[in-house]
Amino acid sequence: FESKETLFLTLLIQEYGEWFDGLNRRIEGLDHSNETMLIKVVTKYIDQSMGDNIRLFHLIGLGHSHLEHNVSLRMAEKYRRFLNDRASELGFQIASKVDSITRVQGIKMVVTLHTFFVGHGQMSQLPTIMTDKLPLDELESYEIDYRVTMLETMKMYFKGLFK
C-alpha cells in the first residue's frame, strides 16, 4: 500500500461493501412492498449491523475528512466510484421493490443513509481540541447516543421523503 490512508480506504471499501451486500440481501428478500415495510427492513438491518460493528459506522466518517488529501488521485477516485456505484445499485433495487419510489428517490435514500453515517459518526466523537479545552460539564450537551439518534433521524427523514 502506498500509505496508511490507502490501506484504510481499501479496508473501508471492503467492509462497507460487505455491509451493502447484507442490506441488498435483506431488500432482495422483500416481496413487492410498501414504504413502511422498506423503512422497517432498512432500519432494522442498520440497528443490527451497528450492534455487530459500530466501529464501521464511526470509520465511514473518516473517509470524508482530510484523509483523501493524503491518498493518490486513483485511490480517491476508487473510493468515490465505489460509493456512487453502490448507492446506484441499492437505489435501483429499492425502487424495484416499492412502486411509489422512483429510482432517483431510491438513490437519494441511500446517499442520505451515507450522510447520516458520516454526520452522526463525526458528531458522536468530539475532536480532541474540544475535549482538551472545555470543562467536562460543558461537553454533556454534545454527548449523543449515536445508534439511537441516527435511527430516529433516519425514520423521520424517510417518512418525510415518501409523503
Side-chain angles (χ1 to χ4, degrees):
F1 294 97
E2 300 165 355
S3 66
K4 64 184 177 195
E5 292 84 5
T6 299
L7 173 61
F8 170 81
L9 284 178
T10 301
L11 293 173
L12 182 59
I13 288 170
Q14 179 182 332
E15 281 195 49
Y16 205 11
E18 290 170 7
W19 182 86
F20 272 111
D21 292 342
L23 184 53
N24 277 337
R25 285 190 296 276
R26 295 284 168 83
I27 293 171
E28 194 174 276
L30 280 175
D31 291 330
H32 213 67
S33 191
N34 61 36
E35 298 97 345
T36 304
M37 181 56 71
L38 175 70
I39 292 168
K40 185 177 179 180
V41 166
V42 170
T43 55
K44 182 178 178 182
Y45 176 72
I46 291 169
D47 186 37
Q48 176 189 1
S49 56
M50 287 177 80
D52 295 342
N53 190 3
I54 191 70
R55 177 183 49 96
L56 171 62
F57 294 90
H58 290 297
L59 295 176
I60 289 169
L62 293 177
H64 291 273
S65 65
H66 293 290
L67 178 74
E68 286 191 356
H69 299 292
N70 297 324
V71 297
S72 67
L73 178 59
R74 182 185 57 74
M75 188 65 207
E77 287 174 348
K78 180 178 178 179
Y79 180 63
R80 294 294 178 192
R81 176 64 41 212
F82 161 80
L83 290 176
N84 183 67
D85 291 350
R86 294 311 297 259
S88 295
E89 176 186 310
L90 187 55
F92 290 164
Q93 184 184 32
I94 288 168
S96 75
K97 293 291 184 173
V98 181
D99 287 335
S100 60
I101 299 175
T102 66
R103 287 180 170 204
V104 171
Q105 285 176 312
I107 294 169
K108 282 184 179 182
M109 185 178 176
V110 178
V111 170
T112 301
L113 280 176
H114 180 73
T115 61
F116 285 145
F117 298 156
V118 171
H120 283 275
Q122 288 182 349
M123 286 304 296
S124 67
Q125 295 180 328
L126 292 175
T128 307
I129 189 129
M130 288 183 74
T131 57
D132 284 352
K133 304 294 181 191
L134 293 176
L136 289 178
D137 61 333
E138 289 184 34
L139 295 175
E140 287 178 35
S141 59
Y142 289 95
E143 291 179 11
I144 63 167
D145 183 327
Y146 176 77
R147 187 173 174 179
V148 171
T149 305
M150 191 177 77
L151 288 169
E152 289 173 0
T153 304
M154 283 186 329
K155 287 177 187 175
M156 287 187 291
Y157 171 79
F158 292 142
K159 287 177 182 174
L161 179 68
F162 302 126
K163 284 188 177 185

